[in-house]
Amino acid sequence: MKTRFVLIAIVLLALVFGLSTLTVAKEYIPGSSLKVGFIYVGPIGDLGWTYAHDEARRICEDVFPWLETVYVESVPEGEEGLFIDKLILEEDCDVVFTTSFGFMDGTLDAAQRHPDKIFAHCSGFKRNANMMTYMADFYQIYYLNGLMAGALTKSHKVAYVGAFPIPEVKRHMDAFAIGVQEVDPEAELHVRWIYEWFSPTAAKEATEALIADGCDVFAFTEDSPTVVQVAAESGLPSFGHYSPMYNFGPEHVVSGQIAHWEAIYLDFLAKVYAGVYTARNLAEVNYWWLLKEGAVEIGAKPGMLINPVHEDELRAVTVNDPILGTINVWDLVMKRLEQMSDASMVVDPFQGPVYDRKLNLRVPQGLRMSEFELTTMEWAVEGIVGPWPGEP
Amino acid sequence: MKKPSLFRVERRPVVPGHVVVLVSILAIFAALVAAGIFFEAYGISAIRAYQLIAKGALGSKLGLAETVRRAIPLLLCGVGLTIAFRALFWNIGAEGQLLLGAVAAAGVALFSGLPDVLLLPAMFIAGFLAGALWGLIPAVLKARLGINDVITTLMMNYIAIYLVEWLIHGPWRGPSMRGFAYTDKFPSAAILPTISWTRIHWPTLLLGLVVAVLAYVLIARTRAGFEIRVVGENPEAARFAGISAFKTTLLVMIISGGLAGLAGVGEVAGIHRMLLGPTRISMGYGYTAIIVAWLARRNPLAVIVTSLLFGIIMSGGDVIRVSLGLPFQVINLFNGLILFFLIGSELLMHYRISFSFRRQ
Amino acid sequence: MGWETWFIVTLSRTLAYGTPLLLATLGEIYTERSGVLNLGVEGMMIMGAYAAFSTAYTTGSPWLGIVAGALVGGAFSLIHAFASITLKANQVISGLSLTMLGLGLSGVLGRGWEGRPLPASIPEITAPGLSKIPFLGPILFEGQNLIVYFSILLVVVMWYILYRTRIGIAVRAVGENPAAADSLGISVNKVRYLCTIVGGILAGMAGGYLSVAYRPAWTEGMTGGMGWIVIALTIFAFWNPAIGMLGAYLFAALYHLSFRLQPWVSPELLKAMPYAFAIIVLIAISRGTLHKKMGAPAALTLPYSRGEE
């Protein structure tokens, strides 16, 4: 009996030891039908990050008749290598997108393991001949949302519920705070962290805590509409995050950020199909797409830039801009949106001089931040109140 | 119970080995049929789903390699649990003990400054000790104060989870990780070798197999093993024989916790190469190992087989997620169903059912 | 902000977040009192949450949703009851299985229900006169819902039944000394079945509260480990419904305060606290008279068979 167990184990092990190489699949021929795999970090039903990527995947499938897609959801970080291998070896994918920062090293390893396949990693900074990076960032939209929040706050306390204290979220908070203070220099941005990407209960209690502290306008980074729902229950305005959240508070969702990952996916896949991008020339390819590329949109829902319910309030508040003169906030948002959507990008939220809340000069007069500086920023701007782990 | 019934249930005094194996296989088969009903309800052909699972988990090199890779932590934790369960210590805390092993390994790898050759051995030793220490706390609480082991080991898991969370968000957050909650990568001398392109970190696998054999020898052939069995099977007799329940409980939990700690070392040094979120380090291996040990009927050698079986289930689950786009929770559905059918099969195993009105 | 408002808000949030914990803890207290350990609370809660949301969404009635959640939770607990009472299976294994099954089943069934706002959720009510009572008024009578009051009522009823009625004596006897209970003519298995079902119904209702009242939406895994906190709270409560209320509210207050106090206290420390507390409580009551009065039911996790073995 016992020897049999050992035998079975030995046979199985021998089998595995015997496996030495993986069959290397063929390289993609431009113009042929293309199969693309997506590796998601969360469930596609999260109504946040993964949901937005999956919407984009479906749009791509509708647009390109030559495209076939497959996805795997809720892949834990550390397991991406396995699923990439499965997508390539068992599903015959030509291109694989991995959509979490934590997938960076696993994707790079896989890219080296499968040099003939094309990889794209979202939100990271490591590239390879066959691995590009891409990101659609919201910081400009957070700034625009901040302008409106500055106009809507009566208590001069605006709230932000953050997921994790990482550069991406900190950047968004900073941009939001800059917008708030441009309209209401007295206002503070109160911050709470929930240390989860997805946690409705934590988001709810964090929002309630901020309401109790006197905050009356809400922005957040968390993959559920909880903050919007809770704020609406208390009759307070909020800004949706990642997906259209208008339906969760039609009277109270002022505007928000909507991701259009398809802008990047369509562009990249079309270029792969045309043979512009191959498994040999991606080392310098990095999509850092913002408003002007159409990768992100401002709005309570697609097409509704600002909820008309709040129009009068926004028009009633005016700002003195050194260039635009006296202008009401509604017009200011439209003007800034137009400026940032334009290819020349005459304005940027992080336009120097910018000081952090410890009064160090972070962006000198006349300068802007580079993509590297934006993706590694850890400091908090003036006006942010609350804990800030990792503050330099 | 007093009512006359159509069938009588009699307890088998001893369950023969072949009955255990046969009934267990039947139960798993029945669970798969039940899960198949869900597939069909979901609009997926059950037969196709199982073909995919078989092909993906066993029929392809990739799947087979993953099956073995998943079996490694299950094997180490599972062997330890068989020993704890032998002494009737209900260690539900392998998950936390595994995490502590991972923490200790990461601490040694990143901060000890030991010479390269000593690094991996030191990580394994530290991992064993940390896991054993985490296991000893509930052991002492039970042996000295009679506190329920199920509950303390379970609570210790959560404390371990938040310890890891705190470390990666706080003091151990890696400067090279751009603010994300991971430690830095381990130096290359702290990373376990793998078999070719697979993710099978073979030193841990080898360790697991050796440990399974040693554990079997311990239980079956040594004085200490005899004492463990007596304490588990007949505590009264143990007391009369002068066997110290206190020492025995401590011993089984040093082994059980320590082995789970080794599994944690293997996961961070062999797979992740850094310390990261607790649910990513382990994916519930410590809980699944309870089933693995239980299904192996507390026989350390049988754990080799049952850990592979759950390796198949886990990597088979991956396959249907990729190929059929099912939600990842489908794995839990599988595990739950298999378990309940196995529980049900206990009845068939321990009781002979005869359909008659006869009275014996 | 004055200290008074600070307390009022904290206590008001405590009631709102503590209610699902309280409901499920009350249920688990009865289950464990009868000698059955059910580690499947998380599984029953998530099934309750799913059933409640889908029912409320389809019928438009959140109250029907709560009822559906309770029924499904109760039905789910029957699996554990059958396995651990009738089949005398290992309760630890069976409970863990129930959690896995619940998470798995709700994850598969719940696909497609995400991202839908509920047309009508359990309304928050403000009692016109009562909310004007200083201090207590705004805590108890402003913005709470009927389930909060129901759970408080339940504490009184369940405490009374457990300690002041024959039913309660039977439940406790079965959990402490099933052989003696049996000899007094109490059907051990019947009592255990009923108590396990009570546990399931209340866990399912707690899940329903989450998905149709607390945050009216369905998301996979939305109970987020609350079921395990309930296991800890049951110990913390010394298996007493009244102390269970205290524990659930204390934990809820800590949870809310972990966000209020974030600038000063590490959130990981606050989150680990209920589990550490549970162990400390067990140590504190492990000796002497306290042990007899407040310790775990003696027959917890032990199946009962008459005159065998």
Side-chain angles (χ1 to χ4, degrees):
Chain A
M1 196 72 198
K2 277 98 203 175
T3 44
R4 218 181 306 162
F5 284 130
V6 180
L7 271 178
I8 294 169
I10 288 170
V11 169
L12 277 169
L13 276 179
L15 258 171
V16 172
F17 274 89
L19 313 169
S20 50
T21 50
L22 281 172
T23 45
V24 179
K26 67 214 177 298
E27 193 174 336
Y28 174 68
I29 303 158
S32 60
S33 65
L34 184 69
K35 186 155 180 186
V36 176
F38 290 79
I39 305 233
Y40 300 140
V41 70
I44 56 173
D46 65 1
L47 212 69
W49 174 265
T50 298
Y51 180 82
H53 280 279
D54 199 58
E55 284 281 308
R57 178 188 66 83
R58 280 183 278 165
I59 292 171
C60 291
E61 233 180 19
D62 289 343
V63 172
F64 295 139
W66 38 263
L67 183 71
E68 188 189 343
T69 65
V70 50
Y71 70 89
V72 200
E73 63 171 341
S74 299
V75 171
E77 288 172 7
E79 297 299 312
E80 67 278 7
L82 160 69
F83 286 99
I84 293 171
D85 284 349
K86 278 190 183 299
L87 287 177
I88 285 177
L89 297 171
E90 286 165 11
E91 298 290 325
D92 295 321
C93 288
D94 306 294
V95 178
V96 174
F97 292 100
T98 56
T99 64
S100 174
F101 178 83
F103 294 157
M104 183 165 66
D105 288 311
T107 310
L108 185 61
D109 288 349
Q112 286 158 353
R113 213 160 44 232
H114 306 285
D116 295 330
K117 299 294 170 185
I118 293 171
F119 295 86
H121 174 239
C122 183
S123 78
F125 53 88
K126 291 185 182 170
R127 284 180 283 278
N128 198 33
N130 60 338
M131 174 178 167
M132 69 91 157
T133 49
Y134 66 101
M135 180 70 186
D137 200 75
F138 283 140
Y139 78 93
Q140 298 166 320
I141 298 182
Y142 269 104
Y143 160 74
L144 295 174
N145 288 167
L147 293 175
M148 292 183 252
L152 294 173
T153 178
K154 294 179 184 68
S155 63
H156 307 292
K157 283 179 175 178
V158 179
Y160 197 123
V161 177
F164 283 100
I166 57 169
E168 179 191 333
V169 181
K170 289 176 175 175
R171 170 170 76 243
H172 294 165
M173 286 179 170
D174 283 337
F176 187 72
I178 287 173
V180 169
Q181 294 216 318
E182 185 172 332
V183 175
D184 181 0
E186 263 182 71
E188 295 170 338
L189 182 65
H190 287 246
V191 167
R192 288 293 181 277
W193 306 97
I194 58 172
Y195 293 92
E196 307 265 6
W197 285 115
F198 170 78
S199 176
T201 46
K204 167 136 181 166
E205 288 311 319
T207 311
E208 296 282 3
L210 287 160
I211 292 174
D213 284 344
C215 297
D216 61 357
V217 186
F218 289 81
F220 66 100
T221 308
E222 191 255 351
D223 286 339
S224 81
T226 306
V227 175
V228 164
Q229 282 181 294
V230 176
E233 276 168 23
S234 302
L236 298 172
S238 62
F239 296 87
H241 175 65
Y242 240 98
S243 295
M245 291 185 173
Y246 173 81
N247 289 344
F248 287 89
E251 297 291 310
H252 302 286
V253 176
V254 184
S255 184
Q257 316 96 39
I258 303 169
H260 287 292
W261 290 102
E262 67 274 13
I264 294 175
Y265 290 140
L266 289 171
D267 185 83
F268 182 70
L269 292 174
K271 285 176 178 160
V272 170
Y273 183 72
V276 176
Y277 287 147
T278 70
R280 280 178 298 277
N281 64 3
L282 298 180
E284 300 300 321
V285 178
N286 175 37
Y287 285 71
W288 169 257
W289 278 23
L290 307 167
L291 266 174
K292 67 181 164 67
E293 289 91 356
V296 291
E297 182 189 343
I298 176 172
K301 62 182 182 183
M304 183 194 277
L305 208 154
I306 302 175
N307 192 335
V309 172
H310 299 278
E311 179 165 354
D312 293 344
E313 273 177 283
L314 293 174
R315 285 195 189 280
V317 181
T318 56
V319 181
N320 279 316
D321 187 84
I323 295 161
L324 302 170
T326 300
I327 183 168
N328 73 56
V329 172
W330 176 283
D331 291 338
L332 180 67
V333 170
M334 297 300 172
K335 184 71 193 165
R336 291 276 189 256
L337 176 62
E338 185 191 311
Q339 288 170 325
M340 289 192 292
S341 303
D342 187 73
S344 58
M345 288 227 304
V346 288
V347 294
D348 187 84
F350 296 105
Q351 186 87 47
V354 181
Y355 290 88
D356 70 16
R357 65 176 181 179
K358 291 176 174 171
L359 301 180
N360 303 306
L361 179 66
R362 287 293 175 176
V363 189
Q365 176 80 41
L367 290 183
R368 288 191 192 163
M369 294 175 77
S370 67
E371 187 200 327
F372 176 79
E373 287 169 324
L374 284 169
T375 52
T376 54
M377 67 189 289
E378 291 264 25
W379 41 272
V381 296
E382 280 177 89
I384 288 179
V385 178
W388 197 267
E391 183 166 11
Chain B
M1 288 206 182
K2 286 175 209 154
K3 284 175 226 154
S5 65
L6 257 172
F7 59 91
R8 282 180 62 85
V9 180
E10 294 169 65
R11 197 170 169 86
R12 276 185 220 261
V14 180
V15 187
H18 69 272
V19 174
V20 173
V21 174
L22 193 75
V23 172
S24 300
I25 291 171
L26 273 176
I28 292 169
F29 184 75
L32 294 183
V33 171
I37 295 169
F38 280 105
F39 284 134
E40 295 285 347
Y42 215 74
I44 291 166
S45 155
I47 292 171
R48 181 170 132 71
Y50 287 125
Q51 278 173 344
L52 284 169
I53 291 174
K55 182 171 165 285
L58 293 169
S60 79
K61 289 177 180 179
L62 192 64
L64 197 54
E66 271 310 303
T67 299
V68 175
R69 195 278 282 186
R70 293 282 171 79
I72 297 172
L74 295 177
L75 174 61
L76 276 164
C77 294
V79 168
L81 290 180
T82 58
I83 294 178
F85 293 172
R86 284 268 172 182
L88 283 200
F89 192 95
W90 288 106
N91 180 13
I92 312 300
E95 184 82 0
Q97 292 143 18
L98 183 154
L99 288 176
L100 259 285
V103 165
V108 171
L110 294 167
F111 309 113
S112 73
L114 285 171
D116 285 1
V117 277
L118 293 179
L119 211 47
L120 277 170
M123 284 160 71
F124 274 107
I125 292 168
F128 184 92
L129 292 176
L133 186 73
W134 210 244
L136 267 177
I137 298 170
V140 172
L141 292 181
K142 182 181 186 185
R144 273 278 172 264
L145 304 172
I147 296 173
N148 188 309
D149 40 352
V150 172
I151 292 162
T152 46
T153 49
L154 183 66
M155 298 299 122
M156 297 282 288
N157 286 345
Y158 282 89
I159 299 173
I161 284 173
Y162 291 115
L163 175 70
V164 176
E165 293 272 9
W166 175 71
L167 285 173
I168 60 171
H169 284 295
W172 287 9
R173 195 173 68 146
S176 69
M177 287 297 165
R178 295 202 174 183
F180 284 84
Y182 310 95
T183 63
D184 280 333
K185 278 251 150 151
F186 291 177
S188 55
I191 293 173
L192 287 167
T194 58
I195 299 173
S196 175
W197 52 265
T198 68
R199 297 202 293 162
I200 303 171
H201 37 109
W202 61 266
T204 326
L205 175 61
L206 201 64
L207 195 63
L209 293 173
V210 170
V211 158
V213 174
L214 288 180
Y216 177 75
V217 173
L218 172 82
I219 291 293
R221 304 281 154 82
T222 67
R223 169 87 198 160
F226 170 74
E227 293 186 355
I228 292 170
R229 280 182 290 145
V230 176
V231 166
E233 281 157 28
N234 197 338
E236 288 289 302
R239 202 171 315 141
F240 282 118
I243 298 169
S244 161
F246 180 70
K247 274 190 198 156
T248 310
T249 305
L250 260 52
L251 175 71
V252 297
M253 280 310 288
I254 287 173
I255 297 173
S256 188
L259 294 185
L262 292 181
V265 179
E267 289 307 294
V268 291
I271 305 285
H272 302 293
R273 302 166 187 189
M274 58 174 135
L275 193 69
L276 68 175
T279 52
R280 283 148 197 179
I281 295 172
S282 160
M283 295 193 299
Y285 290 126
Y287 295 110
T288 311
I290 297 167
I291 314 166
V292 165
W294 182 71
L295 182 60
R297 311 288 148 180
R298 301 186 292 176
N299 178 339
L301 281 180
V303 172
I304 298 174
V305 176
T306 54
S307 61
L308 271 174
L309 176 72
F310 276 84
I312 294 172
I313 292 175
M314 288 181 102
S315 69
D318 294 341
V319 176
I320 49 176
R321 278 170 61 189
V322 177
S323 308
L324 302 176
L326 280 171
F328 78 102
Q329 288 284 14
V330 74
I331 313 264
N332 273 324
L333 183 62
F334 259 116
N335 281 348
L337 279 174
I338 288 176
L339 274 169
F340 276 116
F341 276 91
L342 282 170
I343 290 169
S345 75
E346 291 277 287
L347 184 79
L348 288 175
M349 214 174 285
H350 289 285
Y351 297 87
R352 211 194 307 262
I353 303 172
S354 45
F355 295 87
S356 74
F357 293 98
R358 263 184 303 133
R359 280 164 195 260
Q360 284 180 306
Chain C
M1 195 189 326
W3 280 101
E4 198 186 299
T5 18
W6 219 85
F7 269 110
I8 288 172
V9 172
T10 304
L11 293 177
S12 164
R13 293 308 311 152
T14 295
L15 288 183
Y17 181 75
T19 294
L21 290 172
L22 176 56
L23 284 171
T25 303
L26 287 174
E28 182 72 7
I29 286 172
Y30 264 54
T31 308
E32 291 192 18
R33 274 286 184 177
S34 76
V36 178
L37 174 71
N38 189 349
L39 296 182
V41 180
E42 179 82 359
M44 301 186 296
M45 275 180 84
I46 192 84
M47 281 306 289
Y50 166 72
F53 183 82
S54 54
T55 307
Y57 189 90
T58 324
T59 62
S61 159
W63 296 107
L64 271 181
I66 293 286
V67 171
L71 288 179
V72 167
F76 227 59
S77 69
L78 265 179
I79 304 175
H80 181 69
F82 181 71
S84 60
I85 301 166
T86 305
L87 301 185
K88 301 177 177 55
N90 183 313
Q91 295 179 4
V92 174
I93 303 279
S94 168
L96 285 176
S97 317
L98 197 67
T99 289
M100 289 185 187
L101 197 64
L103 287 171
L105 198 58
S106 66
V108 174
L109 294 175
R111 173 51 42 89
W113 288 91
E114 295 103 342
R116 302 188 193 183
L118 205 59
S121 58
I122 302 276
E124 292 181 351
I125 44 179
T126 296
L130 293 169
S131 64
K132 297 286 180 295
I133 302 172
F135 199 68
L136 281 181
I139 298 171
L140 282 170
F141 302 110
E142 205 178 295
Q144 304 293 358
N145 62 51
L146 283 177
I147 303 174
V148 173
Y149 304 127
F150 173 75
S151 68
I152 296 170
L153 183 71
L154 210 56
V155 174
V156 179
V157 171
M158 289 180 76
W159 182 88
Y160 185 82
I161 291 176
L162 194 60
Y163 292 106
R164 294 287 182 273
T165 67
R166 291 181 59 91
I167 303 169
I169 292 169
V171 169
R172 286 183 291 145
V174 163
E176 288 296 334
N177 192 341
D182 193 12
S183 66
L184 290 172
I186 300 168
S187 166
V188 173
N189 284 1
K190 193 168 134 195
V191 169
R192 288 188 168 175
Y193 256 94
L194 287 174
C195 286
T196 307
I197 294 169
V198 166
I201 288 173
L202 289 178
M205 195 184 280
Y209 176 91
L210 288 176
S211 68
V212 303
Y214 179 77
R215 189 198 71 112
W218 161 254
T219 19
E220 188 179 301
M222 62 181 289
T223 43
M226 249 191 190
W228 300 111
I229 294 167
V230 166
I231 306 281
L233 284 174
T234 306
I235 305 159
F236 184 85
F238 311 114
W239 297 270
N240 177 330
I243 308 176
M245 177 162 91
L246 193 75
Y249 287 163
L250 186 67
F251 176 75
L254 273 177
Y255 188 74
H256 176 74
L257 285 175
S258 76
F259 297 103
R260 299 293 294 278
L261 302 177
Q262 206 173 62
W264 305 284
V265 188
S266 148
E268 290 92 358
L269 185 67
L270 283 169
K271 281 183 186 168
M273 238 147 68
Y275 305 106
F277 265 158
I279 294 177
I280 292 166
V281 162
L282 283 172
I283 296 171
I285 59 161
S286 62
R287 280 293 158 95
T289 46
L290 274 178
H291 183 61
K292 265 209 134 71
K293 259 182 89 176
M294 310 180 90
L300 188 63
T301 75
L302 302 176
Y304 176 67
S305 344
R306 183 184 290 169
E308 274 181 36
E309 290 167 306

